Amino acid sequence: MSTAADTKTTGTGAAPGDGVRATRTPAPVREPAQAPDSAPVRETAPAREPGPAAAPAARNALRAVAHWLRAAALRSAAVLALLALWETAPRLGLVDSTFLPPVSEVAAAWWELAGNGQLAEHTQASLVRSFGGFGIAVVVAVPLGLLIGWYRPVAVLLGPLLEVFRNTAALALLPVFVLLLGIGETSKVSIVVYACVWPILLNTISAVGNADPTLVRLARSMDLSTPRLFQKVILPASVPAVFTGIRLAGAVSILVLVAAEMIGAKAGLGYLINASQFNFAIPEMYAGIVTISAIGVAFNQLLVIVERRLSLWRVPA
């Protein structure tokens, strides 16, 4: 017979008459609750060692940087040597420093011209004339060269006239341009247009004439129309030669303009060089020459970038 003590010790589901004494299950121990304002502490994972794939990537990056540094040093070695010779030769008495000042004095004169605004004024005047004439020459010479190179009767008709004018120097015609158009901006832009037309025109004619005849026959066998033949075969094949002429014309546009500005102008880099020579400001004269060289290099690099963008279809050799 079970007693009241036995009933207390049994679980809640056991009847008083079962006679089986159940053991009490100990209650789980609860962790003390964290304070509401205390954030849980997270364990930081240990730093991972760089994987095997990170080492080759780092080595490739180092090789690329080293290759770029070697290429940059190789390209700039000749220029740095020229600057060093320019600086030391006048100081050592190898040349007269009056007529060839050290490059440091030229740099100081260039900085002074840039600071007082004269360099920007003359550079802007020259660039407007040069790029204006260059742009007109490109617009005129490229279509005309394609026309002459593709249509034989046009080449026969205009060939003798082209031979006469392309062998006449642009500076030889400068007095004619001045007499006909005056000493204003029109004559200077016109002489630049005349000088730039011939390299672009002749290279375009040569590019069209030297197009791969196999590609032309293949395109004709596919019954392509003349406009499609120009678009798909002639123009892509002519891009390298045409841009060679355009790059030559870019250099010619600056050189011819500087010569024209020396004769009759009130602003421009050619005027700056000529005025500095007459005033015996030799460092300022060399500063103008260096500016012209820098503009020519930058313009040529810009044309190279444009040529690469238009020649993405070409397979590198």
Side-chain angles (χ1 to χ4, degrees), residues 23-306:
T23 59
R24 178 176 293 180
T25 304
V29 180
R30 295 183 179 181
E31 296 181 359
Q34 295 180 352
D37 57 344
S38 61
V41 180
R42 296 181 180 178
E43 296 183 359
T44 57
R48 294 184 178 181
E49 295 291 334
R59 286 196 297 268
N60 292 335
L62 290 176
R63 288 197 202 99
V65 172
H67 178 73
W68 182 84
L69 290 176
R70 284 196 301 268
L74 184 62
R75 285 195 299 265
S76 59
V79 177
L80 294 177
L82 176 62
L83 294 177
L85 180 63
W86 189 355
E87 178 68 25
T88 56
R91 296 188 181 280
L92 295 177
L94 301 178
V95 294
D96 193 349
S97 60
T98 304
F99 303 106
L100 184 63
V103 67
S104 57
E105 295 183 10
V106 175
W110 187 93
W111 186 257
E112 182 179 357
L113 289 174
N116 57 29
Q118 294 185 33
L119 186 65
E121 177 185 357
H122 294 302
T123 302
Q124 180 181 0
S126 295
L127 290 181
V128 170
R129 297 163 183 162
S130 178
F131 289 170
F134 172 78
I136 295 173
V138 171
V139 172
V140 171
V142 172
L144 184 59
L146 294 174
L147 183 65
I148 295 174
W150 185 250
Y151 292 103
R152 182 72 177 175
V154 179
V156 174
L157 177 64
L158 298 180
L161 190 62
L162 297 179
E163 289 295 329
V164 171
F165 280 101
R166 76 166 185 168
N167 292 308
T168 304
L171 294 179
L173 295 177
L174 181 58
V176 179
F177 281 94
V178 172
L179 290 175
L180 295 178
L181 303 175
I183 60 174
E185 299 298 319
T186 307
S187 62
K188 297 177 181 59
V189 176
S190 299
I191 195 68
V192 172
V193 173
Y194 179 84
C196 293
V197 158
W198 301 111
I200 303 174
L201 181 63
L202 297 177
N203 278 274
T204 304
I205 295 173
S206 176
V208 175
N210 293 330
D212 192 350
T214 304
L215 294 178
V216 175
R217 287 195 299 268
L218 180 61
R220 290 190 181 280
S221 66
M222 298 174 64
D223 294 331
L224 288 180
S225 61
T226 301
R228 296 288 292 175
L229 179 62
F230 259 94
Q231 180 184 0
K232 297 297 183 181
V233 178
I234 302 300
L235 288 180
S238 303
V239 166
V242 171
F243 263 90
T244 300
I246 290 176
R247 290 170 60 186
L248 292 174
V252 169
S253 66
I254 298 175
L255 298 178
V256 172
L257 176 65
V258 169
E261 289 175 343
M262 288 181 177
I263 295 177
K266 295 182 179 180
L269 293 174
Y271 169 78
L272 173 64
I273 295 172
N274 201 31
S276 300
Q277 179 190 6
F278 280 123
N279 296 328
F280 211 72
I282 304 302
E284 286 79 2
M285 181 189 73
Y286 282 104
I289 296 173
V290 170
T291 304
I292 293 173
S293 300
I295 292 174
V297 172
F299 190 34
N300 182 71
Q301 291 299 316
L302 177 62
L303 293 176
V304 169
I305 294 173
V306 174

